[in-house]
Amino acid sequence: MDVLIHLVIWVHIIAFVAGGSNSVAGPIIGARLHGASPEQRAAYFGVLTQMASVGKIAMVTLLVTGPLALWLKFGGLGGVGIWFWVKMALIVVMLVSIGMGDASEKKAQAGDHAAESRAAMAHKVTAVAFAGVILAAVLAFN
């Protein structure tokens, strides 16, 4: 059983890294969109679209492996503390900001410059929430 638990946690961490890379790279790429040429914009949006696909797979993986690891390792929610719930609240913030960012990026691809700003803000909110999730996880499971 320990091997299964460790594999689930390993997959969870891999998914967290894969999805979290969007939180780091997204704002960097987004900052370059405003002054980019049409060809550069197309290339940047191509990268952002690929990253979003990886991020969605990672998020689904996280939403499956997180509860599974919690159940396998601890038998459920019994004994979780406040930091676990802070982590869950920050995950909700991430999901909302990811959704808003995706919607704004689609509009930005169509040429809506105001949507670029909203997408950039959503990326920043996601990045801050991502950092908070990591901190809360460390505090919750230490």
Side-chain angles (χ1 to χ4, degrees), residues 9-71:
I9 293 170
W10 176 74
V11 170
H12 192 74
I13 292 169
I14 294 295
F16 201 72
V17 170
S21 65
N22 291 346
S23 297
V24 175
I28 294 168
I29 294 168
R32 296 180 178 269
L33 282 172
H34 187 66
S37 70
E39 296 82 20
Q40 290 171 321
R41 287 175 59 81
Y44 287 145
F45 278 119
V47 171
L48 289 170
T49 299
Q50 286 180 313
M51 289 173 51
S53 295
V54 169
K56 288 173 186 167
I57 292 167
M59 186 58 79
V60 169
T61 302
L62 289 165
L63 293 173
V64 170
T65 59
L68 182 60
L70 191 64
W71 177 69

Side-chain angles (χ1 to χ4, degrees), residues 21-131:
S21 65
N22 291 346
S23 297
V24 175
I28 294 168
I29 294 168
R32 296 180 178 269
L33 282 172
H34 187 66
S37 70
E39 296 82 20
Q40 290 171 321
R41 287 175 59 81
Y44 287 145
F45 278 119
V47 171
L48 289 170
T49 299
Q50 286 180 313
M51 289 173 51
S53 295
V54 169
K56 288 173 186 167
I57 292 167
M59 186 58 79
V60 169
T61 302
L62 289 165
L63 293 173
V64 170
T65 59
L68 182 60
L70 191 64
W71 177 69
L72 289 172
K73 188 162 176 90
F74 301 109
L77 292 173
V80 299
I82 186 70
W83 287 110
F84 174 81
W85 295 111
V86 169
K87 177 180 177 270
M88 293 298 105
L90 289 168
I91 288 169
V92 170
V93 170
M94 284 182 69
L95 288 170
V96 170
S97 64
I98 289 167
M100 291 174 67
D102 281 353
S104 294
E105 275 189 24
K106 286 182 176 99
K107 291 177 183 177
Q109 284 180 356
D112 182 344
H113 291 291
E116 281 181 28
S117 297
R118 291 191 302 274
M121 180 55 71
H123 281 303
K124 290 173 186 169
V125 169
T126 301
V128 170
F130 175 70

